[in-house]
Amino acid sequence: MSLSPEARKTLAGITTATITTVLLKKGLRNVWMRGARPLRPGLPRLVGPAFTLRFVPAREDLATPESWSSPISTRTAIEAMPEGCIAVVDAMGITDAGIFGDILCARMVKRGVTALVTDGVVRDVEGVLGTNLPVWCDGYAAPPSVAGLTFVGWGEPIGCGGVAVFPNDIVVADQDGCVLIPQAMLDHVLNEGVEQERMEAWIVNEVNNGAALPGLYPMNAETKARYAASKK
């Protein structure tokens, strides 16, 4: 799935908080990935289609340094990542084995990957930060992935931070974390998200001017009428 420049630009102006509200109104409650926090403060809001990778618990005959040379490895998966994607990695919330380090992240930058999102952790944190690859994760740890995880594949449905992620679902990441937009809901979020942001900006302005919250947030009929008039 290609994400148009227009869609990327629009989503970059919609907070993850707003997206969760818009999707909640459609009955989707579980779209925020637990444990995926910005590794570096101040990262801009980023948008991209999900490129999925999956780990399972470590098994001693498979999770070895030699496995890094296997055709089914994180190294091979990185070479399949398309430009502009967000790599979303299911690490099962394991926080004592780093899934990627500085070398792998540097290669992702060369591949044009937008960001790395995982419910696990990275290693070589100083080097990872030095690559300038935007990373959302649950921290960092010195041991390599094979100390606690076995890599099993990419390009398939995964669970990341308790959220079901399918390849090419849309991921939006900002300081509040990472949210998933199902492909079928993209147009809805593009339309309703812009309106939600406009409405909340108007409400904030009313609050700054001294308005009380009851009847304003949420709006009663009178406030809705005033808001509608403000858009004309």
Side-chain angles (χ1 to χ4, degrees), residues 207-232:
V207 169
N208 289 338
N209 288 333
L213 292 178
L216 174 66
Y217 187 63
M219 294 182 181
N220 58 21
E222 178 184 353
T223 304
K224 288 179 180 179
R226 288 198 298 113
Y227 173 62
S230 74
K231 296 193 292 182
K232 296 179 180 178

Side-chain angles (χ1 to χ4, degrees), residues 129-210:
L129 291 171
T131 69
N132 290 319
L133 176 71
V135 176
W136 277 257
C137 64
D138 201 14
Y140 36 86
S145 61
V146 293
L149 294 162
T150 302
F151 183 70
V152 292
W154 63 92
E156 59 185 328
I158 63 168
C160 184
V163 176
V165 183
F166 285 72
N168 293 319
D169 282 340
I170 306 306
V171 176
V172 181
D174 63 15
Q175 293 299 302
D176 280 353
C178 306
V179 297
L180 177 131
I181 304 172
Q183 295 180 49
M185 300 298 295
L186 176 59
D187 288 343
H188 174 75
V189 171
L190 289 171
N191 294 327
E192 295 300 318
V194 170
E195 172 57 22
Q196 183 79 19
E197 292 284 1
R198 181 188 298 118
M199 180 184 70
E200 292 193 2
W202 184 86
I203 290 172
V204 168
N205 186 64
E206 291 290 299
V207 169
N208 289 338
N209 288 333

Side-chain angles (χ1 to χ4, degrees), residues 32-226:
W32 180 77
M33 299 177 208
R34 299 155 188 85
R37 299 182 297 273
L39 184 61
R40 185 198 304 272
L43 288 173
R45 185 172 301 114
L46 296 175
V47 179
F51 182 94
T52 59
L53 302 92
R54 185 165 68 95
F55 285 87
V56 298
R59 206 177 81 182
E60 287 73 10
D61 61 325
L62 298 175
T64 66
E66 289 74 22
S67 69
W68 294 331
S69 298
S70 166
I72 301 177
S73 69
T74 53
R75 281 71 171 161
T76 307
I78 288 172
E79 298 306 317
M81 292 178 181
E83 183 177 359
C85 76
I86 290 183
V88 184
V89 185
D90 174 6
M92 305 185 306
I94 297 295
T95 57
D96 57 1
I99 59 162
F100 287 177
D102 53 354
I103 294 174
L104 273 63
C105 289
R107 180 56 183 162
M108 292 170 69
V109 171
K110 290 295 185 181
R111 295 283 304 167
V113 173
T114 295
L116 167 64
V117 170
T118 182
D119 55 3
V121 300
V122 296
R123 64 194 300 244
D124 305 314
V125 65
E126 289 187 13
V128 169
L129 291 171
T131 69
N132 290 319
L133 176 71
V135 176
W136 277 257
C137 64
D138 201 14
Y140 36 86
S145 61
V146 293
L149 294 162
T150 302
F151 183 70
V152 292
W154 63 92
E156 59 185 328
I158 63 168
C160 184
V163 176
V165 183
F166 285 72
N168 293 319
D169 282 340
I170 306 306
V171 176
V172 181
D174 63 15
Q175 293 299 302
D176 280 353
C178 306
V179 297
L180 177 131
I181 304 172
Q183 295 180 49
M185 300 298 295
L186 176 59
D187 288 343
H188 174 75
V189 171
L190 289 171
N191 294 327
E192 295 300 318
V194 170
E195 172 57 22
Q196 183 79 19
E197 292 284 1
R198 181 188 298 118
M199 180 184 70
E200 292 193 2
W202 184 86
I203 290 172
V204 168
N205 186 64
E206 291 290 299
V207 169
N208 289 338
N209 288 333
L213 292 178
L216 174 66
Y217 187 63
M219 294 182 181
N220 58 21
E222 178 184 353
T223 304
K224 288 179 180 179
R226 288 198 298 113

